[in-house]
Amino acid sequence: MGASLSDESSLPRGMKPPVRKIEVFLVRLYAVLLALLGIAMFAGGVRLAMLGGSLYYVLAGSLVMAAALLLFLRRRQGAWLFGLTLAATIAWSIWEVGFDGWALLPRLLMMTGLGLWLLMPWTQRALAGSLRLAAHAGPLKLLAVGLVAAVAIGWGAHDLFGPEGYPDPRFQTGMGAFPRQANAVQGRETGADWPYVGAERGGGRFTPLTQITPANVSKLKVAWSVDIGTRPGFNATPIKVGDTLYTCNGNSEVFALDAATGRQRWHYDASQGHGYICRGVAYHAVPGAQGLCSGRILTANSIPSLIALDARTGQPCPGFGRNGYVDLLAGMGKVIPGYYRVTSAPAIVRGRVVVGGLVNDNQYWGVPSGVIRAFDVVTGELAWAWDMGHPERTGAPPPGETYTHSTPNSWAPMSADEELGLVYVPLGNPSGDQFSGRRRPFDRKYGSSVVALDALTGRPRWSFQTVHNDIWDYDVASPAALVDLTGPGGEKRRALVQAAKRGEIYILDRATGKPIFPVTERPVPRRGHVPEEHPSPTQPFSDAMPSFRGPRLTEQDMWGVTPLDQLYCRIQFKESRHEGIFTPPGLTPSVDSPMSSGSINQWGVTIDPVHNVMVLNTFHLATRVQLVPRKEVLASGKKIMGPWASGREMLGLAPQMGTPYGVLRDFWLNPLRVPCTKPPFGRLHAVDLNTGKLLWTRRLGTARGSGALGISVPFAIPLGTPLYGGATVTRSGLVFIGATKDGFFQAFDLRTGDLLWRASLPGGGNSSPISYAAAGRQYVVIAAAGSYSIESPLSTKLVAFALPKQAPK
């Protein structure tokens, strides 16, 4: 039998094997593609170098183009030259980012893949040169280089799968620091109910239940799953009172369910034709009352109206307002439908039901007021109104007047202290989010603050500002969490833990608002702002708590899937202003990191009051921001959003009518629709509140469901995804959280941060879970409806998990 055409060892010395035309075509096609890559790298590299960036792309692009020419001519020297380029790329990549696996991905994956193509037999046969060992020396060396790249990527994988420390060297990590002292369990003694969205009036999302433990959590199974409504994407946190679970959906519909089985008991459609996000409802038992509405559910719709429903039947309470409804547009003046909405569960304290409202960002000066109002929980009559523009009055405005427009508003959940008689109001920044030129003294005083209001009078007792003259939209977006801490001398301090969007954690005395842990005013960047702007020279930083704002970005932090989209992000970064957090917006692009959606958003922190351990999840992406002169905004034809517009319409160019500038703001993504900053984007953390020590940090979320150009990756590789949702902690030492883009629901060990259990949900668990007891079992329930903002899987399901029922003895 004759020798194979590809068997070079059987041919006479000096004789070359036959080369197929298709093999020559493939090599030359490869060379053309390689040349295009080299041209793009060189051209982009020249632009980057002119901006003061890395020279790598100019040099590598030149070498790749030369290698492509040699390969097109079927010269083996082209493979050698590309191998040299790959070796240099490996060295440069490790010098830039070490062995960070995800950071190495865009630098090495494509280049290594191109190198491996050169090792294929058809490529080798098409290249000219001598046969035998000398002919294979170049390819063998290229193979060795490829193996080095594979080893580098593999070594970097330790960063994908192993534990990580948070990159703030001031704070040590380690599970050995977990507090050993145990406090008495605060609040609910049995944990059977979950009567508030945050478990208690003071939030914290803690349950003293211990049936589910780190030892048996792996046995959790779906106990029941029900559809609530037809509109996905809601992120309500249910409450549980008695044997009934109460919740709402993304269409302003309210549901009462059997807590043990999920069976629907009643349903009430409060939308009045315009449903919107409902993040939770409130419950109140009227002291001494019996019969209809002795127990009532308080909620709000998007009209908006405050609504009271009988907890047993779902019937509107006839003695509350007008047939169960209180008009929240009273005193607001002319309001474009949908521009003022209640998006969080009302707070109930000392017989008052307290509400704020969301106002659409960046549309026009003169948006509805951010007034905070309290109503009698039984009659619905206005008890007081805190209108910071008219501090002298606590009631409704006189006829012909309105509450002060464009004041800071409160769209996040509120907390309350029944004993102190205080309600803690998280406030956003005033209208004109990225321009402060029209702000008034009271706007500047209260914007982006937490304010303690007297529950009976509405008068401010104290306020604490997290951002001075906020022009970054760093609202206080999360509820305060109340906890008792032990001071250095053993004294108890009634503390308030306030998370700020920008990643700072402030520990305040909840009676006085004075910091318990030090807060320092530090200088911040001021260059690049417009002439009418006057950014604050300093901002308040929490000294004794870990900061979760993330490090200042550098060119090396830019990311992508390939060298080209990463190069795009590098160029954009060098074209932008970025001096770290608080780089002011101006007429040239600036980079905000963390972005305006925050490092910490509306769910805030979770607290184990037994060990005084705080759990929180953080989310880091960046945005590019640029102010646009009014003339250019008008020329673009951009107008304010119309009635009932979606919040997603706020991205891109926003007009900020009534000010000299519009604002162009969007998530910073490259042309492949992946973030320009490197992962992890989402993390889960635990902190000792007594000492401020960071106990552990873990990536949260896998690559499943993510990918370039919207193409989902099916693999659950640890990544750290965008997050939307909060955590719940159990007395037995478990942290339950969904929040991720991948649609998983997970349980972590509170002491170590180890992942103990994971289940796939029908939609993203982008809300906060709750835990309660019913019919002798502990349940963990989460709304698995997904999120439009982080593009997690959508559903309309509410899902309950429990341990398997024990067989009767």
Side-chain angles (χ1 to χ4, degrees):
M1 182 179 292
S4 168
L5 291 178
S6 60
D7 186 1
E8 298 184 17
S9 62
S10 64
L11 296 174
R13 182 181 297 274
M15 183 177 176
K16 301 177 182 180
V19 178
R20 298 182 179 91
K21 290 182 179 181
I22 186 62
E23 294 172 344
V24 174
F25 172 78
L26 288 175
V27 165
R28 286 182 167 162
L29 177 62
Y30 170 90
V32 170
L33 296 176
L34 199 63
L36 294 175
L37 172 64
I39 291 169
M41 291 179 68
F42 179 81
V46 169
R47 174 60 179 161
L48 181 62
M50 293 174 63
L51 294 168
S54 172
L55 294 175
Y56 161 78
Y57 295 91
V58 172
L59 300 174
S62 301
L63 293 173
V64 169
M65 286 189 291
L69 177 61
L70 291 170
L71 290 169
F72 190 85
L73 298 175
R74 298 173 59 201
R75 304 289 297 273
R76 284 190 186 275
Q77 289 88 339
W80 278 82
L81 187 56
F82 188 84
L84 175 65
T85 306
L86 180 55
T89 297
I90 294 170
W92 168 77
S93 299
I94 295 174
W95 173 77
E96 273 211 324
V97 298
F99 294 98
D100 180 336
W102 284 110
L104 289 172
L105 176 76
R107 293 166 169 85
L108 294 183
L109 185 63
M110 174 182 281
M111 296 292 283
T112 302
L114 291 171
L116 291 175
W117 180 266
L118 289 175
L119 300 178
M120 297 299 103
W122 54 85
T123 303
Q124 290 300 305
R125 284 194 296 269
L127 294 178
S130 58
L131 298 173
R132 302 196 182 280
L133 183 62
H136 293 282
L140 288 173
K141 290 180 179 179
L142 184 60
L143 176 61
V145 171
L147 290 175
V148 171
V151 169
I153 294 175
W155 193 357
H158 86 277
D159 189 55
L160 307 183
F161 297 99
E164 62 164 324
Y166 198 73
D168 187 337
R170 295 179 301 155
F171 301 99
Q172 298 177 344
T173 63
M175 64 181 181
F178 193 89
R180 295 183 178 181
Q181 76 278 8
N183 302 324
V185 177
Q186 302 170 347
R188 296 164 297 126
E189 294 182 358
T190 67
D193 282 353
W194 190 282
Y196 302 92
V197 167
E200 299 288 350
R201 282 189 176 91
R205 297 193 300 273
F206 169 82
T207 177
L209 295 176
T210 58
Q211 187 181 92
I212 304 172
T213 70
N216 64 25
V217 67
S218 61
K219 299 178 182 178
L220 280 183
K221 302 294 182 184
V222 174
W224 52 261
S225 176
V226 297
D227 276 300
I228 54 171
T230 58
R231 181 179 294 184
F234 59 90
N235 42 68
T237 299
I239 60 173
K240 188 261 186 182
V241 180
D243 60 358
T244 305
L245 203 66
Y246 302 96
T247 191
C248 52
N249 66 10
N251 195 43
S252 300
E253 298 172 86
V254 185
F255 295 82
L257 309 172
D258 184 294
T261 66
R263 181 180 59 85
Q264 182 174 303
R265 289 183 167 165
W266 56 258
H267 157 255
Y268 183 80
D269 185 352
S271 66
Q272 293 182 291
H274 294 285
Y276 197 73
I277 288 174
C278 173
R279 295 194 177 102
V281 300
Y283 173 84
H284 178 71
V286 180
Q290 294 182 351
L292 184 68
C293 291
S294 56
R296 55 187 59 198
I297 297 298
L298 284 303
T299 187
N301 62 15
S302 58
I303 297 301
S305 299
L306 180 64
I307 305 165
L309 305 173
D310 177 52
R312 187 175 59 85
T313 65
Q315 176 183 337
C317 296
F320 184 86
R322 179 175 295 180
N323 299 321
Y325 284 70
V326 170
D327 181 11
L328 293 178
L329 292 181
M332 300 295 283
K334 184 179 180 180
V335 176
I336 299 173
Y339 263 66
Y340 179 82
R341 303 181 298 271
V342 178
T343 56
S344 295
I348 300 177
V349 56
R350 295 202 173 181
R352 306 285 192 261
V353 52
V354 187
V355 294
L358 177 146
V359 176
N360 285 348
D361 286 347
N362 286 320
Q363 297 305 302
Y364 66 95
W365 171 257
V367 293
S369 177
V371 61
I372 308 300
R373 287 171 286 181
F375 301 87
D376 186 285
V377 73
V378 176
T379 67
E381 292 182 2
L382 180 68
W384 51 258
W386 179 52
D387 178 359
M388 64 185 70
H390 286 282
E392 75 284 356
R393 67 188 185 206
T394 58
E401 297 186 30
T402 67
Y403 296 114
T404 309
H405 64 76
S406 298
T407 53
N409 60 298
S410 181
W411 56 269
M414 301 178 192
S415 300
D417 188 316
E418 183 77 11
E419 180 182 349
L420 291 176
L422 294 178
V423 58
Y424 302 101
V425 179
L427 289 174
N429 68 339
S431 179
D433 297 71
Q434 267 72 40
F435 178 74
S436 69
R438 295 198 64 174
R439 292 179 186 171
R440 301 148 297 191
F442 48 83
D443 296 322
R444 295 178 185 271
K445 177 180 179 180
Y446 290 114
S448 298
S449 297
V450 55
V451 180
L453 299 180
D454 187 298
L456 294 180
T457 67
R459 298 287 187 180
R461 293 267 195 92
W462 57 259
S463 65
F464 178 87
Q465 192 164 58
T466 65
V467 182
H468 306 319
N469 195 27
D470 182 1
I471 50 176
W472 302 271
D473 199 14
Y474 284 151
D475 302 348
V476 180
S478 56
L482 310 185
V483 64
D484 291 339
L485 298 180
T486 303
E491 73 279 8
K492 291 290 185 181
R493 300 291 301 272
R494 293 185 293 188
L496 176 149
V497 182
Q498 183 62 66
K501 255 191 190 180
R502 62 189 181 93
E504 297 294 307
I505 304 293
Y506 301 99
I507 312 294
L508 311 175
D509 185 303
R510 65 178 181 262
T512 67
K514 302 297 183 184
I516 293 176
F517 286 3
V519 174
T520 301
E521 293 286 335
R522 298 183 197 165
V524 294
R526 301 190 72 198
R527 294 185 297 179
H529 62 81
V530 293
E532 302 92 334
E533 192 63 83
H534 301 284
S536 174
T538 64
Q539 294 290 350
F541 289 82
S542 181
D543 287 338
M545 284 284 113
S547 173
F548 300 98
R549 62 184 176 273
R552 177 175 172 174
L553 295 178
T554 67
E555 182 193 332
Q556 287 76 18
D557 293 318
M558 300 303 102
W559 198 60
V561 177
T562 72
L564 296 183
D565 60 318
Q566 186 192 44
L567 174 57
Y568 171 91
C569 293
R570 284 178 180 256
I571 291 171
Q572 282 207 330
F573 179 76
K574 299 300 287 189
E575 290 175 338
S576 305
R577 292 175 295 108
H578 180 70
E579 300 178 59
I581 193 170
F582 295 121
T583 300
L587 296 176
T588 59
S590 60
V591 171
D592 280 356
S593 178
M595 63 179 180
S596 61
S597 292
S599 170
I600 307 169
N601 211 296
Q602 68 196 47
W603 284 272
V605 303
T606 304
I607 294 179
D608 169 7
V610 178
H611 299 98
N612 285 345
V613 171
M614 173 179 68
V615 175
L616 70 158
N617 54 292
T618 57
F619 171 24
H620 280 93
L621 284 180
T623 47
R624 288 181 91 220
V625 180
Q626 182 176 357
L627 295 180
V628 180
R630 177 61 48 208
K631 183 178 180 180
E632 295 180 26
V633 175
L634 294 174
S636 73
K638 184 68 176 183
K639 299 180 180 179
I640 65 171
M641 298 189 304
W644 307 112
S646 165
R648 294 188 295 277
E649 295 181 32
M650 295 181 191
L651 295 175
L653 179 60
Q656 292 196 141
M657 301 297 289
T659 74
Y661 305 98
V663 61
L664 184 62
R665 181 180 66 172
D666 214 336
F667 296 121
W668 191 17
L669 306 177
N670 65 36
L672 298 185
R673 305 302 296 167
V674 299
C676 272
T677 51
K678 67 179 180 180
F681 310 116
R683 291 182 173 99
L684 184 66
H685 318 264
V687 177
D688 182 346
L689 283 175
N690 289 322
T691 65
K693 186 172 184 178
L694 182 65
L695 302 175
W696 50 260
T697 289
R698 296 291 181 267
R699 281 175 175 78
L700 187 58
T702 70
R704 189 181 80 163
S706 300
L709 298 174
I711 302 172
S712 296
V713 174
F715 310 112
I717 304 170
L719 171 66
T721 69
L723 302 178
Y724 197 75
T728 285
V729 174
T730 73
R731 175 66 178 85
S732 59
L734 292 170
V735 180
F736 284 101
I737 188 167
T740 54
K741 184 177 179 179
D742 55 21
F744 284 124
F745 188 35
Q746 302 176 95
F748 294 85
D749 190 312
L750 179 61
R751 290 183 172 271
T752 65
D754 293 338
L755 177 63
L756 302 178
W757 170 81
R758 182 166 71 186
S760 186
L761 295 170
N766 304 121
S767 59
S768 293
I770 71 169
S771 186
Y772 59 84
R777 302 171 78 189
Q778 180 181 354
Y779 291 84
V780 182
V781 176
I782 190 167
S787 167
Y788 290 100
S789 63
I790 65 170
E791 299 179 347
S792 61
L794 298 176
S795 168
T796 56
K797 296 284 189 179
L798 190 71
V799 184
F801 293 87
L803 296 173
K805 290 184 178 179
Q806 295 183 351
K809 295 183 180 180

